[in-house]
Amino acid sequence: MPEAGSLRVALLGCGVVGTQVARLLTEHHDELAARVGATLEIVGIAVRNPDAPREQVTGTPLEPLLTADAEGLVARADVVVEVMGGIEPARTLLLSAIAHGASVVTANKALLAQDGPTLYAAADAAGVDLYFEAAVAGAIPIVRPVRESLAGDQVRRVLGIVNGTTNYVLDRMATEGLDLDVAVKEAQSLGYAEADPTADVEGFDAAAKAAILASLAFHTRVSLDDVAREGITSVTADDVASAASTGHVVKLLAIAERNRAADGTDGIQVRVHPALVPVTHPLAGVRGAYNAVFVEAESAGELMFYGRGAGGGPTASAVLGDVVSVARHRVLGGRGPVESWYADLPVLPATESRTRFQVRLEVVDRPGVLAQVAAVLAGHDVSIEAVRQTAGHAAADGHEVAALLLSTHAAPERALAATVEALEGLDVVREIVSVLRVEGS
Amino acid sequence: MPEAGSLRVALLGCGVVGTQVARLLTEHHDELAARVGATLEIVGIAVRNPDAPREQVTGTPLEPLLTADAEGLVARADVVVEVMGGIEPARTLLLSAIAHGASVVTANKALLAQDGPTLYAAADAAGVDLYFEAAVAGAIPIVRPVRESLAGDQVRRVLGIVNGTTNYVLDRMATEGLDLDVAVKEAQSLGYAEADPTADVEGFDAAAKAAILASLAFHTRVSLDDVAREGITSVTADDVASAASTGHVVKLLAIAERNRAADGTDGIQVRVHPALVPVTHPLAGVRGAYNAVFVEAESAGELMFYGRGAGGGPTASAVLGDVVSVARHRVLGGRGPVESWYADLPVLPATESRTRFQVRLEVVDRPGVLAQVAAVLAGHDVSIEAVRQTAGHAAADGHEVAALLLSTHAAPERALAATVEALEGLDVVREIVSVLRVEGS
């Protein structure tokens, strides 16, 4: 047992985030004690190889705390902080910590998106806290506001820029006119993107966060498999320039919304895809590698939370806020919010969503083309909001062609898909250049 | 005593916010019970005149709950929600509720700014919760993030747009070129401004919120008297246009920052004044009657919280989030964060602040004027960042005059004041048109 007035903290992982967590626990030792009502003592840091060379980031060397025996460590801690990432052994260690009666704090979005309900249920059964502010949007307090501040309200929709890498890439495409691959290389050279950028640019990272946000916002079990996902790899410099010409920016959005299916089913939808956002929308101003989560709630109206979504310091700040909360519960009693899926809404298929679209087409430049195109949309009950046609020019094959930009009113996803298929079948349509959803208007 | 599984909620006040709180408690009765672990039953609503006619906003009429006996009501409640506003009788009733062992939730910024420490100490001594998310920036979760999410971090600076009325007025001046009085009249006709707009336009409302934010962010007792305050009444359409010409917008900011005085004293500064904000800063995009609070913290970096700062629904949403938290503590044990002033930093006088300034002057249009002006700044150790001079024109009195716009690097407030005084004494200076601080760059 710890001495009176002291809590034993175990760290799992000592990478970029773990070392910053250790630094804050050490440097702010006295101030944290004042906030918690007990001192927080690091009793060990579990790493794969305790003998590997490490950068020293705190006044106190971490080496004496390092151990390869993670199982042994979690058995003798009051608070376990998991910042190792990945599914295993993180999952087993967290379940073991919970079984030993420790409170746990994790930054592991992949694990929560895949197996959150198992962890929540285990924590609930053991009567311990499971906190995970750092798992969504890094330093931005979003989990706590959604779980606690909005506990008396009803969330209608969450729109998030939750992946800093893709936001940086799209921002550079917009401001510098860069091509996607050039912007990705730039992000890699700055350390914003991994050598293999797949998890970011294909939207897997954003989808994991979307699943967690949807679970919290709608009190419904949502896993990664429920998220319709489309990355930014098909977004071109032309798409971004065309968006700007109509007063939009392209953002990769994680969207979770309450929706009603065509058959009347009340449910939710969770999806990640590039979208056009009006420049006047608060999300449009989120630049560089920043993240932001925009929430629409019944009574609160529109809220936005903005900040750094990644990085050692920002993530450690969110972890420490959670550590203080769970530690206070151990000192004063009480528990944080418990995830329960009492709403248990069905997750509707993506085909049930209704959005506005912008469709760019290359068409043969001759009279009557617009009438044919418009007839196809009308035939599928898709209402046109605006049409822009550029002056014709000669294509490589000598034909006179024109670019057509169609903006629609809100239409069902399935109607739009059928429309695009029908447009592809028209003789006068040479190419469907792009189809992008419009959100936040 | 309440029946098992039920908590008695007393409402003090039944105005715009009170009726919305009653509506949410009634309409979301079952969902709130699921989140709290007990039902929340309104046992009474204290109003001055229970017989006054009222609009019905809930399915259940509120009349049977109304009472003029507020003292009697707080004595039989588990949770007391104060949304009546004003200092008395709100203060006496909250202290009475605390003395009776009730947990309290208040939206009363004036009371907290004037007498918060008395209330916090009473709640701490009684071992009950005192929550007040709605007192700062309405629906925006800012109190909880600062008190809890950033509990392991160090706040360096808070910049807030915390008064929706003045933000609406300044926004209309910027976008429509309106004069201040026209924009204020428009805000009044839309219900954003009171018939007597003094509390808003003179910055009193923002100063109360600045005092509360500074207390939370720096763990230091800060009262309204500690806040240096300047409203927007001297801001002209010309100031706003001139700001735009240098890539800035004018915002009324509530600022609380960690600072070091000239004599080395480590302290904080709290002030409210109009300021130029670069258009690229996230606060610049906060339009209309919206509020936002921008926080700079050591580890988290830059964060921003955005949303509606006023209105019945938004404020009620924040109140309900607090009600759920304090009610959960009554069911499960535990307590929320306790305000303690352990940091106890001195509040430094406004003359100790260092900021960048923009000074607009009307000068006589002849060679050598700029050299004289520049010499005055150099003599006071104020470094010039940029100068813009418009082409000369004939003033009403026939003299050729020119407008000069000086942008300085960061300089001490006292040096700037001395500089302005010296400039006023120059023969070639006809008028100091405006002096505005630049923040957020």
Side-chain angles (χ1 to χ4, degrees):
Chain A
M1 288 300 290
E3 58 179 302
S6 169
L7 290 171
R8 299 165 302 183
V9 179
L11 270 179
L12 306 180
C14 199
V16 179
V17 178
T19 47
Q20 290 300 319
V21 171
R23 179 180 70 79
L24 292 175
L25 283 169
T26 312
E27 285 182 8
H28 300 169
H29 183 269
D30 297 349
E31 188 157 0
L32 290 167
R35 298 191 194 184
V36 169
T39 63
L40 300 175
E41 309 297 346
I42 305 178
V43 291
I45 305 176
V47 293
R48 229 173 325 192
N49 178 8
D51 300 322
R54 277 160 213 284
E55 200 188 347
Q56 186 172 328
V57 295
T58 68
T60 327
L62 299 177
E63 281 71 11
L65 295 167
L66 300 178
T67 171
D69 178 18
E71 266 295 348
L73 178 60
V74 302
R76 57 191 168 90
D78 302 299
V79 176
V80 172
V81 177
E82 186 269 303
V83 286
M84 63 204 307
I87 305 298
E88 285 296 352
R91 183 179 174 282
T92 301
L93 289 170
L94 283 176
L95 288 171
S96 170
I98 290 166
H100 279 101
S103 298
V104 296
V105 174
T106 175
N108 195 327
K109 59 185 173 282
L111 176 56
L112 288 173
Q114 181 178 309
D115 217 7
T118 305
L119 291 165
Y120 304 144
D124 193 21
V128 299
D129 279 332
L130 167 61
Y131 272 55
F132 50 92
E133 183 63 78
V136 184
I140 307 174
I142 178 66
V143 172
R144 199 181 305 264
V146 170
R147 281 173 119 186
E148 302 180 40
S149 307
L150 291 170
D153 206 333
Q154 301 271 352
V155 175
R156 285 187 181 148
R157 189 145 73 136
V158 179
L159 296 178
I161 296 173
V162 291
N163 180 271
T165 307
T166 47
N167 200 58
Y168 177 84
V169 166
L170 292 170
D171 190 23
R172 295 292 292 169
M173 291 173 75
T175 54
E176 305 295 323
L178 301 183
D179 279 330
L180 179 83
D181 53 349
V182 176
V184 168
K185 283 208 182 72
E186 194 183 273
Q188 286 169 323
S189 72
L190 289 166
Y192 291 153
E194 308 279 336
D196 174 1
T198 309
D200 294 320
V201 298
E202 294 290 2
F204 289 103
D205 173 79
K209 293 163 180 169
I212 300 171
L213 279 173
S215 301
L216 298 180
F218 300 110
H219 308 283
T220 291
R221 261 177 114 105
V222 180
S223 80
L224 196 50
D225 297 336
D226 296 315
V227 185
R229 180 193 48 78
E230 183 188 323
I232 64 165
T233 47
S234 64
V235 177
T236 65
D238 268 2
D239 290 335
V240 173
S242 162
S245 76
T246 60
H248 294 87
V249 291
V250 181
K251 295 289 186 189
L252 181 69
L253 296 184
I255 301 170
E257 61 188 352
R258 191 83 178 247
N259 229 329
R260 197 172 285 281
D263 68 1
T265 310
D266 182 23
I268 62 171
Q269 273 194 323
V270 195
R271 51 204 161 92
V272 167
H273 56 70
L276 302 179
V277 176
V279 291
T280 50
H281 192 280
L283 284 172
V286 178
R287 304 285 303 275
Y290 275 85
N291 282 14
V293 181
F294 187 83
V295 178
E296 297 170 26
E298 183 201 293
S299 295
E302 298 182 345
L303 298 170
M304 190 172 81
F305 305 85
Y306 165 97
R308 294 209 172 271
T315 308
S317 171
V319 167
L320 259 283
D322 281 356
V323 168
V324 169
S325 288
V326 306
R328 280 179 51 83
H329 291 149
R330 294 191 86 89
V331 173
L332 295 170
R335 280 175 60 199
V338 175
E339 290 326 306
S340 74
W341 319 117
Y342 60 80
D344 197 21
L345 296 162
V347 179
L348 306 172
T351 46
E352 291 291 348
S353 69
R354 281 179 65 84
T355 33
R356 295 172 51 211
F357 290 87
Q358 272 198 8
V359 183
R360 293 203 296 135
L361 309 166
E362 189 178 271
V363 295
V364 177
D365 187 22
R366 65 166 182 248
V369 170
L370 183 54
Q372 284 186 60
V373 167
V376 167
L377 271 79
H380 289 86
D381 232 9
V382 175
S383 164
I384 295 175
E385 189 217 339
V387 178
R388 283 183 187 215
Q389 190 166 217
T390 61
H393 62 276
D397 60 7
H399 284 92
E400 276 290 300
V401 297
L404 208 61
L405 175 63
L406 299 172
S407 302
T408 78
H409 287 293
E413 180 100 11
R414 66 173 81 225
L416 199 279
T419 303
V420 169
E421 203 183 318
L423 288 173
E424 275 172 338
L426 284 186
D427 280 352
V428 294
V429 172
R430 288 171 54 104
E431 191 191 352
I432 308 283
V433 181
S434 74
V435 180
L436 282 166
R437 297 174 190 83
V438 182
E439 298 283 350
S441 59
Chain B
M1 290 298 292
E3 58 179 301
S6 169
L7 290 171
R8 298 164 305 182
V9 179
L11 270 179
L12 307 180
C14 198
V16 178
V17 177
T19 48
Q20 290 300 319
V21 171
R23 179 180 70 79
L24 292 175
L25 282 169
T26 312
E27 285 182 8
H28 300 167
H29 183 269
D30 297 349
E31 189 156 359
L32 290 167
R35 297 190 194 186
V36 170
T39 63
L40 300 175
E41 309 297 345
I42 306 177
V43 291
I45 306 177
V47 293
R48 229 172 326 192
N49 179 7
D51 300 322
R54 275 159 214 286
E55 200 188 345
Q56 185 173 329
V57 295
T58 68
T60 326
L62 300 177
E63 281 72 10
L65 295 168
L66 300 178
T67 172
D69 178 19
E71 266 295 349
L73 178 61
V74 301
R76 57 190 168 89
D78 302 300
V79 176
V80 172
V81 177
E82 187 269 303
V83 286
M84 63 203 307
I87 305 298
E88 286 294 353
R91 183 179 174 282
T92 302
L93 290 170
L94 283 177
L95 288 171
S96 170
I98 289 166
H100 279 100
S103 298
V104 296
V105 174
T106 176
N108 195 327
K109 59 184 171 285
L111 176 58
L112 288 173
Q114 180 178 311
D115 216 8
T118 306
L119 292 165
Y120 304 144
D124 193 19
V128 299
D129 279 331
L130 168 60
Y131 271 57
F132 51 92
E133 182 64 77
V136 183
I140 308 176
I142 178 67
V143 172
R144 199 182 304 263
V146 170
R147 281 172 120 186
E148 303 179 40
S149 306
L150 291 171
D153 206 333
Q154 302 270 353
V155 175
R156 285 187 182 149
R157 189 144 75 133
V158 179
L159 296 178
I161 295 172
V162 291
N163 180 270
T165 306
T166 47
N167 201 57
Y168 178 83
V169 166
L170 293 170
D171 191 22
R172 294 294 291 170
M173 291 173 74
T175 55
E176 304 296 321
L178 300 184
D179 280 328
L180 179 82
D181 53 349
V182 175
V184 169
K185 284 207 181 71
E186 193 182 275
Q188 287 170 322
S189 73
L190 289 166
Y192 290 154
E194 308 281 334
D196 174 1
T198 309
D200 293 321
V201 298
E202 295 290 0
F204 289 102
D205 174 78
K209 293 162 181 168
I212 300 171
L213 280 173
S215 303
L216 299 179
F218 299 109
H219 309 283
T220 291
R221 260 176 113 107
V222 180
S223 80
L224 195 49
D225 298 335
D226 296 316
V227 185
R229 179 194 49 77
E230 183 189 324
I232 64 165
T233 48
S234 63
V235 177
T236 65
D238 267 4
D239 290 335
V240 173
S242 162
S245 77
T246 60
H248 295 86
V249 291
V250 181
K251 295 289 185 189
L252 181 70
L253 294 185
I255 301 170
E257 60 187 355
R258 192 83 179 250
N259 228 329
R260 197 171 285 280
D263 68 1
T265 311
D266 183 22
I268 62 170
Q269 274 193 321
V270 196
R271 49 203 163 92
V272 167
H273 56 69
L276 303 179
V277 177
V279 292
T280 49
H281 192 280
L283 284 172
V286 178
R287 304 286 303 276
Y290 275 85
N291 282 13
V293 181
F294 187 83
V295 178
E296 297 170 26
E298 183 200 296
S299 295
E302 301 181 343
L303 298 170
M304 190 173 81
F305 304 85
Y306 165 98
R308 294 209 173 271
T315 308
S317 170
V319 166
L320 259 284
D322 281 355
V323 168
V324 169
S325 288
V326 305
R328 279 178 51 82
H329 291 149
R330 293 192 85 90
V331 172
L332 294 171
R335 281 173 62 199
V338 175
E339 288 328 304
S340 74
W341 318 118
Y342 61 81
D344 197 22
L345 296 162
V347 180
L348 305 173
T351 46
E352 291 292 349
S353 70
R354 281 178 66 84
T355 33
R356 293 172 53 210
F357 291 87
Q358 271 199 10
V359 183
R360 291 203 297 135
L361 308 165
E362 190 179 272
V363 296
V364 176
D365 187 21
R366 66 166 182 249
V369 170
L370 184 54
Q372 285 187 59
V373 167
V376 168
L377 273 79
H380 290 86
D381 232 9
V382 175
S383 163
I384 295 175
E385 190 217 339
V387 178
R388 282 183 187 214
Q389 191 167 215
T390 60
H393 62 278
D397 60 9
H399 284 92
E400 276 289 301
V401 298
L404 209 61
L405 175 63
L406 300 172
S407 304
T408 78
H409 287 293
E413 181 101 11
R414 64 174 83 225
L416 199 277
T419 303
V420 169
E421 205 183 315
L423 288 174
E424 275 173 340
L426 285 186
D427 280 351
V428 296
V429 171
R430 290 170 53 101
E431 192 192 353
I432 308 284
V433 181
S434 73
V435 180
L436 283 167
R437 297 174 189 83
V438 182
E439 299 283 351
S441 58

